[in-house]
C-alpha cells in the first residue's frame, strides 16, 4: 500500500528565511502534486510534477521531483507571512486517485 | 468558467441520520472523485465516478455510496451517520487525469 510521508509536520519560520519541505513516498510514481490549504478552506493546486527531474517554480515556491529516490521537495525562498498555510503533497499511482501526505503546517512570523 | 461547485457548505446532522452531498464538476470534466478530510489530517480517497459508474473505491464502508448523473454531477450519500464521519468532504473533478480541481468542500458535523 502506498504511503506518503511529509516532514516536518509543523514548521515555524521567520520572514525572509529559506526552508524545504520533504515528501517521501513508498511506491514508484512519476505523478506528484503539491497543494496549499488555508484554514477551513479547500485545496489550491500549486504544482503538478509529471516526470523524473521535473522542477517548477512559482513566486517564492519551487517544487522538484526525484522519482528514483521517491522524493519531492517544496522549497520556500525568503518566506513571507502570506505563505502561512498547510501544504500537502499527493501521489497518483496512475490509478486516478490521489494519496495525500500528512501535511506540513507552515507558520511564518515577522 | 465555473470551477467545482459543492453544496451545501455546512450542515449538522444527528447520529444515525442520512446525508446527501452534491458536486457539480468543472466545465469539461467528466470524472468526479470524493475525499474525506478529518480535522488535522490529509484528505482520504472515498470513491470515483466516471460514465455514471463507480470506477474505484477507497477503504470506506458501504454506508458511503454515490451516484453520477448524465451531466457529470455527483452525489455522495452517507447512511447511519457516526460521530467519526464529521469531516470536510471534498469533491474533485478531472478529465483524462493529470489535473484535479477541488471544490470548496462541505463541512459535515455529526452530533
Amino acid at each position: 500500500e502506498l504511503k506518503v510521508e511529509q516532514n516536518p509536520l509543523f514548521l515555524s519560520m521567520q520572514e525572509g528565511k529559506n526552508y524545504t519541505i520533504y515528501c517521501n513516498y513508498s511506491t514508484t510514481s512519476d505523478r506528484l502534486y503539491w497543494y496549499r490549504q488555508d484554514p477551513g478552506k479547500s485545496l489550491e493546486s500549486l504544482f503538478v510534477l509529471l516526470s523524473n527531474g521535473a522542477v517548477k517554480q512559482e513566486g517564492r515556491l519551487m517544487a522538484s521531483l526525484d522519482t528514483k529516490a521517491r522524493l519531492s521537495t517544496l522549497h520556500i525562498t525568503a518566506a513571507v507571512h502570506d505563505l502561512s498555510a498547510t501544504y500537502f503533497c499527493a501521489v497518483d499511482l496512475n490509478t486516478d486517485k490521489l494519496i495525500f501526505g500528512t501535511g506540513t503546517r507552515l507558520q511564518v512570523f515577522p | 468558467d465555473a470551477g467545482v461547485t459543492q453544496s451545501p457548505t455546512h450542515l449538522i446532522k444527528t447520529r444515525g441520520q442520512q446525508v446527501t452531498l452534491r458536486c457539480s464538476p468543472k466545465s469539461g470534466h467528466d470524472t468526479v472523485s470524493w475525499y474525506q478530510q478529518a480535522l488535522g489530517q490529509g484528505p482520504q480517497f472515498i470513491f470515483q465516478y466516471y460514465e455514471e459508474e463507480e470506477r474505484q473505491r477507497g477503504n470506506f464502508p458501504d454506508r458511503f455510496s454515490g451516484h453520477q448523473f448524465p451531466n457529470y454531477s455527483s452525489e455522495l450519500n452517507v447512511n447511519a451517520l457516526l460521530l467519526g464521519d464529521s469531516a470536510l468532504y471534498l469533491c474533485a473533478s478531472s478529465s483524462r487525469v493529470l489535473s484535479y480541481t477541488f471544490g470548496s468542500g462541505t463541512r459535515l458535523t455529526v452530533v
Side-chain angles (χ1 to χ4, degrees), chain B residues 4-5 35 37 52 74 76-77 80 104:
Chain B
V4 178
T5 304
Y35 291 81
Q37 186 178 21
E52 301 181 50
S74 177
L76 163 65
N77 301 291
S104 56

Side-chain angles (χ1 to χ4, degrees), chain A residues 4 23 31-35 88-92 98-101:
Chain A
V4 182
C23 173
R31 289 157 68 168
L32 189 135
Y33 302 76
W34 283 96
Y35 292 92
F88 291 97
C89 64
V91 177
D92 183 345
L98 296 175
I99 306 299
F100 283 82

Side-chain angles (χ1 to χ4, degrees), chain B residues 73-109:
Chain B
S73 67
S74 177
E75 289 182 348
L76 163 65
N77 301 291
V78 186
N79 295 321
L81 284 167
L82 304 173
L83 294 179
D85 295 332
S86 295
L88 179 67
Y89 288 84
L90 296 166
C91 168
S93 72
S94 58
S95 179
R96 290 165 178 72
V97 201
L98 302 186
S99 177
Y100 300 87
T101 301
F102 282 84
S104 56
T106 294
R107 172 75 61 186
L108 171 65
T109 302

